[in-house]
C-alpha cells in the first residue's frame, strides 16, 4: 500500500491516468464483492449459479428466491449506502474544512435516533408495521434536526460559515441525544433499550425490495449530484476568502450542500441506522491514494465506500452466523485499526489530517 | 477602467475606509501605501469583494460587478488565508483560477491546462507542479498563487503586499511580472522604494482616507513621510532607475510623530501570508 499509493500519485498525469486505474480496480473488486455477497451466507451458492440467476438463466426455485429476494436487496442497499456515506463524508470534510467531519457530525443522526426511539418507546405501529414507522420517524427526526441546524448556522448575518455549521450541528446533536436518553431511561420496557441499541449500531438486515427503492434511488441520485460538485468543493479548500475571490458564493453553496447531504444522510440513517466510520475513513483512504482534488477523489470515495460496506456486511452476517452482527460494529472494529495504521504510516497521512 | 467612488467601510462604529475616491486607467499600476492600520487591506477587500462597502461603489469597465462569479472574471487577487488541511497539488491550486470562467460541473479543457502550464512557467514553479501545495515555502506559495491569478485572466489585478515573505530577487521578479501582464494593477505595498519604482501613481492612506495622490515623485516627499509615517527621510532620484528613492534617517523624531496613527487599533488582520 505504501509503495502503491506513492506510485499512483506520482504516476497520475494531468489527465489522471492513475485515478482511472484506481477506479477500474475498485469497480472490479466491487463486482466480485457483490457476487460474493450473493453467494455466501447460511446457504452457500456457487458463484456460477449466482451469475446464472442474475442473468435470468435459472429456473425459479429456493436458490433464486434467496439470491434475488433476500440477498440482492441487502447487498444493493449496502453498496448504495456505503457509496453515499463515503461521498457525504468527503463533501462535508471539504465543506467545513475539517478532516474529522463525517456524515453524522451535523446532528442528522441524532435527530434520526430521536425520531426512531420516540416511535419505539411509544410503540407506534407495533410489530410488523414498525419496519415502516421506525424509518419514517427516523427520517422525520433527521429533517427536523436539519431544519434546526440550518436556522442556527445561518445566524442573523445569513452567512453560513464552516465554524458556525459545526457548532450548530454539535449543539443540536447533544440536545437530541439527551432527549433520546431521557426517553429510554423513563421507558418502562427494558426491551426498548435492546431494540434501540440495535438500531443505533446500524445494520442492513431490514433491506427488502418494497422499501429499498426510495432510499436507494435518493442516495444514488444524490451521490451522483455530489460527484459533480468537484470544482466548487476544490475552491472551498482554498479557504473562505480564497473561494470567494475565485467566484464562489460560499454562503449559498454551503447552505445548499448542507441541505442535500443532510437529506441523503437522513435517507441512509432511516433504513440502516447510523453506520459509523465509512463516512470518516473512506474519504481519507481515498485521499491518500488519489490526492485531495475532488474530481478524482469523489468517484474513488464512492466506489471505495460501496466496496467497504458490502464486504463489511458480508462479514457481519457470516462471521458469527446465524447471529447477525450489527454492521456498524464491524465497520468500527475493522475500520478503526485500519485508520490508525493509515495515520501511523508516513507523511501523507499527517498532511491529510494535520 | 477602475473607478472607486466615495467608498467607505464602517464596522463596529469605526470608519476603516473614509470616502476614498480612486481611479486607474487601463494598464496603469496604482500603488496604495500607508502605515499599518491605514485601511489599505480593508479598501482592497472592498474592491475584490470579500467585504461589502458601507457606502460608495466600485466600477470596473464602467459596471458595478454583481456577484462573486462575475467579479472573479474581471478581478483577480492573492488572498491571505490559502492554507488547507488537505493536500492539493500546486497544479490543482493554480487550475482553480479557471473556475470563474466555468460552469460548476465543467471539467478543465485542454486549453485550460495549457493556460495553467504557461502560468506555472511564467512564475517559475513548473518543477513544483505535482508537489503538495501546503508543503511549499512562503515564497513558492506566493508565486503559485500569482500563477493562479494569471490563469484567471483578469482585467484588474488586486494584490495586498505581494512581496511579503519573498526574497528580494522574487520581489523584483513578481512586480516586474505584474507590470508586464498588461492588466490594470492595484497594489498595496509596504516598501516605498518598490512602490516608487513599479507604480505609475501612488495614493497615500492615513486612517482610512487618501491624504496624497500623484506620481511617486510628487507624493514621496520628506514632508509627507514625516507627516504620515512620523519618520525623517531623504528622497533622491536614483541615477540608475530614475525613480525617487527614499532613505530613512535614524535620529530624533520629528514633532509630527505624535500624529502618527500608531495607537489606532489595527483593522488589518495581517495573517502571515497566504
Amino acid at each position: 500500500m505504501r509503495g502503491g499509493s506513492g506510485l499512483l500519485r506520482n504516476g497520475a498525469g494531468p489527465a489522471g491516468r492513475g485515478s482511472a486505474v484506481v477506479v477500474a480496480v475498485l469497480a472490479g473488486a466491487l463486482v466480485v464483492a457483490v457476487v460474493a455477497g450473493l453467494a455466501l451466507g447460511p446457504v452457500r451458492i456457487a458463484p456460477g449459479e449466482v451469475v446464472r440467476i442474475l442473468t435470468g438463466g435459472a429456473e425459479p426455485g429456493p436458490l433464486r428466491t434467496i439470491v434475488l429476494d433476500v440477498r440482492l436487496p441487502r447487498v444493493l442497499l449496502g453498496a448504495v449506502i456505503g457509496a453515499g456515506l463515503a461521498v457525504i463524508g468527503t463533501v462535508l470534510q471539504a465543506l467545513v474544512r475539517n478532516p474529522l467531519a463525517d456524515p453524522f457530525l451535523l446532528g442528522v443522526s441524532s435527530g434520526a435516533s430521536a425520531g426512531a426511539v420516540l416511535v419505539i418507546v411509544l410503540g407506534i405501529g407495533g410489530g410488523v408495521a414498525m419496519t415502516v414507522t421506525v424509518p419514517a420517524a427516523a427520517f422525520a427526526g433527521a429533517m427536523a434536526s436539519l431544519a434546526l441546524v440550518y436556522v442556527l448556522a445561518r445566524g442573523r448575518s445569513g452567512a453560513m460559515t464552516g465554524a458556525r455549521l459545526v457548532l450548530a450541528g454539535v449543539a443540536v446533536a447533544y440536545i437530541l441525544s439527551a432527549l433520546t436518553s431521557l426517553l429510554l431511561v423513563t421507558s418502562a420496557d427494558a426491551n426498548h433499550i435492546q431494540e434501540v441499541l440495535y438500531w443505533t449500531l446500524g445494520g442492513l438486515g431490514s433491506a427488502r425490495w418494497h422499501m429499498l427503492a426510495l432510499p436507494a434511488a435518493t442516495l444514488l441520485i444524490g451521490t451522483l449530484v455530489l460527484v459533480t460538485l468537484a470544482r466548487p468543493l476544490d475552491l472551498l479548500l482554498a479557504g473562505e476568502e480564497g473561494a470567494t475571490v475565485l467566484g464562489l458564493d460560499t454562503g449559498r453553496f454551503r447552505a445548499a450542500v448542507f441541505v442535500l447531504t443532510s437529506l441523503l444522510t437522513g435517507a441512509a440513517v432511516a433504513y440502516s441506522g447510523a453506520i459509523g466510520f465509512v463516512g470518516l475513513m473512506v474519504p481519507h483512504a481515498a485521499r491518500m491514494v488519489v490526492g485531495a482534488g475532488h474530481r478524482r477523489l469523489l468517484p474513488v470515495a464512492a466506489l471505495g465506500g460501496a466496496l467497504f460496506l458490502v464486504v463489511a456486511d458480508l462479514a457481519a452476517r457470516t462471521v458469527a452466523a446465524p447471529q447477525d452482527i450489527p454492521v456498524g460494529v464491524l465497520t468500527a472494529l475493522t475500520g478503526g485499526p485500519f485508520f490508525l495504521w493509515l495515520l501511523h504510516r508516513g507523511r501523507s497521512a499527517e498532511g491529510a489530517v494535520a | 477602467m477602475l473607478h472607486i467612488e466615495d467608498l467607505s467601510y464602517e464596522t463596529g462604529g469605526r470608519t476603516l475606509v473614509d470616502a476614498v475616491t480612486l481611479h486607474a486607467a487601463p494598464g496603469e499600476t496604482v500603488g496604495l501605501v500607508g502605515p499599518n492600520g491605514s485601511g489599505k487591506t480593508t479598501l482592497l477587500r472592498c474592491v475584490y469583494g470579500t467585504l461589502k462597502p458601507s457606502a460608495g461603489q466600485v466600477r470596473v469597465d464602467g459596471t458595478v460587478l454583481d456577484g462573486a462569479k462575475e467579479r472573479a472574471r474581471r478581478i483577480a487577487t492573492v488572498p491571505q488565508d490559502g492554507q488547507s488541511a488537505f493536500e492539493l497539488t500546486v497544479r490543482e491550486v493554480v487550475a482553480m483560477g479557471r473556475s470563474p470562467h466555468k460552469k460548476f460541473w465543467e471539467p478543465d479543457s485542454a486549453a485550460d491546462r495549457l493556460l495553467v502550464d504557461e502560468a506555472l512557467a511564467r512564475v517559475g514553479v513548473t518543477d513544483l507542479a505535482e508537489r503538495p501545495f501546503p508543503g511549499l515555502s512562503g515564497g513558492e506559495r506566493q508565486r503559485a498563487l500569482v500563477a493562479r491569478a494569471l490563469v484567471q485572466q483578469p482585467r484588474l489585478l488586486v494584490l495586498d503586499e505581494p512581496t511579503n515573505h519573498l526574497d528580494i530577487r522574487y520581489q523584483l521578479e513578481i512586480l516586474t511580472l505584474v507590470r508586464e501582464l498588461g492588466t490594470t494593477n492595484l497594489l498595496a505595498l509596504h516598501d516605498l522604494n518598490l512602490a516608487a519604482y513599479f507604480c505609475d501613481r501612488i495614493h497615500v492612506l492615513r486612517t482610512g482616507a487618501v491624504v496624497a495622490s500623484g506620481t511617486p515623485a510628487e507624493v514621496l516627499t520628506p514632508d509627507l513621510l514625516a507627516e504620515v509615517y512620523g519618520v525623517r527621510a531623504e528622497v533622491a532620484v536614483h541615477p540608475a532607475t530614475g525613480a525617487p528613492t527614499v532613505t530613512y534617517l535614524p535620529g530624533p523624531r520629528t514633532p509630527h510623530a505624535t500624529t502618527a496613527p500608531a495607537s489606532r487599533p489595527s483593522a488589518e488582520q495581517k495573517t502571515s501570508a497566504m
Side-chain angles (χ1 to χ4, degrees):
Chain A
M1 176 90 196
R2 174 177 308 175
S5 72
L7 281 176
L8 286 169
R9 282 192 67 172
N10 298 337
R17 250 173 301 123
S19 82
V21 172
V22 175
V23 166
V25 168
L26 284 174
L30 181 59
V31 170
V32 172
V34 165
V35 172
L38 296 175
L40 301 177
V43 179
R44 291 200 164 208
I45 305 170
E49 181 68 14
V50 168
V51 172
R52 231 186 341 275
I53 291 170
L54 284 178
T55 52
E59 296 295 306
L63 290 188
R64 191 163 177 268
T65 306
I66 289 174
V67 169
L68 290 186
D69 292 342
V70 179
R71 291 183 188 166
L72 189 56
R74 181 166 178 162
V75 169
L76 288 184
L77 186 67
V80 172
I81 285 182
L85 289 178
V87 168
I88 292 166
T90 310
V91 168
L92 285 181
Q93 283 165 9
L95 202 67
V96 301
R97 290 183 81 204
N98 187 331
L100 288 176
D102 82 342
F104 311 125
L105 174 75
L106 301 177
V108 173
S109 67
S110 317
S113 301
V117 168
L118 195 63
V119 165
I120 292 170
V121 168
L122 296 179
I124 295 171
V128 181
M130 261 199 185
T131 60
V132 177
T133 54
V134 170
F139 189 73
M143 292 306 101
S145 76
L146 186 170
L148 196 56
V149 173
Y150 185 90
V151 170
L152 291 173
R154 289 283 295 230
R156 275 181 304 156
S157 62
M160 190 181 278
T161 63
R164 277 197 82 96
L165 198 52
V166 172
L167 289 175
V170 170
V172 168
Y174 268 109
I175 296 168
L176 290 172
S177 306
L179 278 178
T180 306
S181 306
L182 188 67
L183 276 172
L184 277 178
V185 168
T186 53
S187 150
D189 191 339
N191 286 335
H192 289 159
I193 294 186
Q194 178 94 33
E195 215 170 321
V196 168
L197 179 66
Y198 199 83
W199 187 87
T200 332
L201 291 173
L204 300 166
S206 65
R208 300 288 179 275
W209 279 117
H210 70 271
M211 42 186 280
L212 176 73
L214 192 64
T218 311
L219 277 164
L220 194 63
I221 293 167
T223 302
L224 291 177
V225 170
L226 288 178
V227 169
T228 67
L229 298 179
R231 183 181 290 280
L233 288 171
D234 278 355
L235 291 185
L236 280 184
L237 297 186
E240 201 70 29
E241 185 155 318
T244 307
V245 300
L246 289 169
L248 185 68
D249 184 338
T250 54
R252 266 176 55 193
F253 176 71
R254 196 171 268 128
V257 173
F258 163 62
V259 170
L260 180 58
T261 52
S262 297
L263 278 169
L264 297 179
T265 311
V269 170
Y271 281 88
S272 61
I275 298 176
F277 245 75
V278 182
L280 174 66
M281 190 195 64
V282 172
H284 285 291
R287 233 177 245 120
M288 286 169 197
V289 178
V290 293
H294 286 89
R295 195 165 297 282
R296 292 187 223 170
L297 178 58
L298 289 170
V300 169
L303 285 169
L307 175 64
F308 179 64
L309 198 55
V310 168
V311 171
D313 184 53
L314 177 60
R317 60 198 162 82
T318 50
V319 167
Q323 179 79 21
D324 206 347
I325 303 172
V327 72
V329 172
L330 260 186
T331 55
L333 270 181
T334 57
F338 175 65
F339 191 55
L340 290 175
W341 175 72
L342 278 183
L343 278 184
H344 184 65
R345 68 168 204 119
R347 284 179 299 135
S348 64
E350 272 167 42
V353 199
Chain B
M1 189 275 163
L2 168 68
H3 292 265
I4 301 173
E5 308 281 1
D6 268 332
L7 186 141
S8 295
Y9 182 80
E10 293 171 24
T11 184
R14 290 186 296 135
T15 304
L16 303 184
V17 175
D18 191 2
V20 168
T21 293
L22 188 160
H23 299 170
E28 206 176 17
T29 296
V30 175
L32 283 180
V33 301
N36 286 336
S38 59
K40 300 190 295 286
T41 296
T42 309
L43 175 60
L44 293 187
R45 284 186 163 169
C46 290
V47 173
Y48 61 66
T50 58
L51 289 179
K52 199 171 154 23
S54 325
Q57 59 172 219
V58 176
R59 282 179 287 131
V60 175
D61 291 330
T63 46
V64 176
L65 299 178
D66 191 25
K69 195 155 184 174
E70 196 191 328
R71 202 176 286 114
R73 284 191 204 120
R74 306 284 186 95
I75 305 177
T77 188
V78 172
Q80 305 234 346
D81 65 340
Q83 285 275 25
S84 168
F86 302 112
E87 290 189 337
L88 290 178
T89 64
V90 173
R91 178 186 297 283
E92 285 169 325
V93 168
V94 173
M96 285 180 181
R98 294 308 296 154
S99 286
H101 304 283
K102 298 275 162 185
K103 302 287 184 197
F104 72 84
W105 63 84
E106 235 182 315
D108 286 340
S109 65
D112 295 323
R113 283 194 288 274
L114 193 64
L115 278 174
V116 171
D117 285 336
E118 284 170 5
L120 288 167
R122 195 152 186 189
V123 302
V125 295
T126 303
D127 292 345
L128 308 176
E130 307 306 329
R131 290 253 304 272
F133 180 77
L136 302 187
S137 73
E140 290 167 339
R141 256 187 237 161
Q142 185 82 324
R143 285 150 71 203
L145 291 175
V146 171
R148 187 175 81 188
L150 295 187
V151 305
Q152 237 174 306
Q153 298 188 309
R155 298 266 298 133
L156 173 68
L157 191 58
V158 179
L159 298 176
D160 191 358
E161 310 282 1
T163 55
N164 254 358
H165 304 276
L166 293 187
D167 286 340
I168 294 178
R169 176 185 156 198
Y170 290 122
Q171 296 188 10
L172 297 175
E173 275 187 22
I174 288 276
L175 290 174
T176 304
L177 174 66
V178 164
R179 285 234 51 156
E180 285 171 352
L181 295 176
T183 49
T184 307
N185 305 309
L186 180 61
L187 317 175
L189 288 170
H190 236 46
D191 186 321
L192 296 178
N193 289 319
L194 289 177
Y197 183 71
F198 285 100
C199 296
D200 300 310
R201 284 187 301 122
I202 290 178
H203 296 265
V204 183
L205 281 181
R206 186 171 63 166
T207 60
V210 176
V211 292
S213 303
T215 63
E218 289 165 357
V219 170
L220 297 177
T221 61
D223 284 349
L224 179 113
L225 295 173
E227 187 189 325
V228 174
Y229 287 90
V231 296
R232 278 199 316 136
E234 275 178 8
V235 181
V237 173
H238 193 276
T241 65
T245 308
V246 178
T247 307
Y248 306 103
L249 303 173
R253 305 175 97 204
T254 66
H256 297 290
T258 50
T259 64
S263 62
R264 200 166 169 283
S266 173
E268 307 180 34
Q269 298 290 322
K270 287 275 192 292
T271 47
S272 62
M274 327 297 134

